[in-house]
Amino acid sequence: MKTPHEGAAPVSAAEAAHHHHHHHHAPRISSLNRAFLLGIALNVAFVVVEFVVGLCKGSMGLLSDAGHNLSDVAGLLLALLAFRLAQRRATPRYTYGLRKSTVLISLLNSVILLIAVGVIIAESIGRMLHPETVAGGAIAWTAGVGVAVNGFTAWLFMKDRARDLNVRGAYLHMAADALVSVGVLVSGLVISWTGWRLIDPLVGLAVAAVIVASVWSLTRDSLRLSLDGVPAGLDIAEITRRMASVEGVRAVHHVHVWAMSTTENALTAHVVLQRLEELEPVKRALKAELRAGGIEHATLEFETAAESCCDRGE
């Protein structure tokens, strides 16, 4: 996607609208909508079943996994919302549309997961201090259904996981849930065969550990992007060096890089030209270099060595 604000060259309204709404490697919208809706419906049904069985059988492993899966349903709903908001057209008030909502929703998702972790840890520790009898067979059967539901939901997102960060997050989350359900299944079998009740809260703590491991990087990255930090995988020094190496560029300064959404990066920079007459070819070369580096939106201000840059406070 290209921003209509591209330095000194004027851009027509038609060209601006075309560039502003074009999404590079956009996932198939209708396919993803169906995947999200089907995944949400399956997981809601499973959460209800898992919660009822866990409550009736007194299984902390099932109840904690149900709570985790409920947070996954909320996560899928929020990801679907972000995906749809990202398609909204730009307006005079929101000139980049609502792309930034994908970052804010990622941050909200991570907070929801961290809250779920706290509840699971507290309940699991309580069950370790005060063990209760649970039905291993019911736990195993219910968790087995969870393996199938979570595995199938992960498969729904697998084909588009490389095209969009939110979709990849949904895929990885559901794949991790399938593994967690495998752990609950194992605890149910262990209880059925050995009667060792302590395995149930231990699985609850293992579930919490898996969630923390998966959500830590999401929380860190979402927080950094919400503060307009440099997206992971981009290096300001390297970007500046590559821009300065373009033929016709004398120097580059005031470089700022941030995320417009979870999939799109933007840059602003001042470029000192060797000769003002080379502005157009240099601009095209810089845009190509930046696109190759993962930055589609670039706003460049061009200067000559004789000019005095007035933006000293940036």
Side-chain angles (χ1 to χ4, degrees), residues 43 46 65 68-69 72 143-155 170-186 207 210:
N43 279 272
F46 177 61
D65 196 43
H68 181 207
N69 283 319
D72 289 342
V145 175
V147 173
V149 169
N150 290 323
F152 177 72
T153 306
W155 176 80
Y171 165 77
L172 293 174
H173 213 150
M174 300 314 300
D177 285 350
L179 294 178
V180 169
S181 293
V182 169
V184 176
L185 172 61
V186 170
V207 168
V210 170

Side-chain angles (χ1 to χ4, degrees), residues 104-124:
L104 299 178
I105 285 176
S106 293
L107 183 59
L108 179 58
N109 256 327
S110 67
V111 171
I112 291 173
L113 287 169
L114 290 174
I115 292 173
V117 166
V119 173
I120 291 171
I121 291 175
E123 292 294 331
S124 296

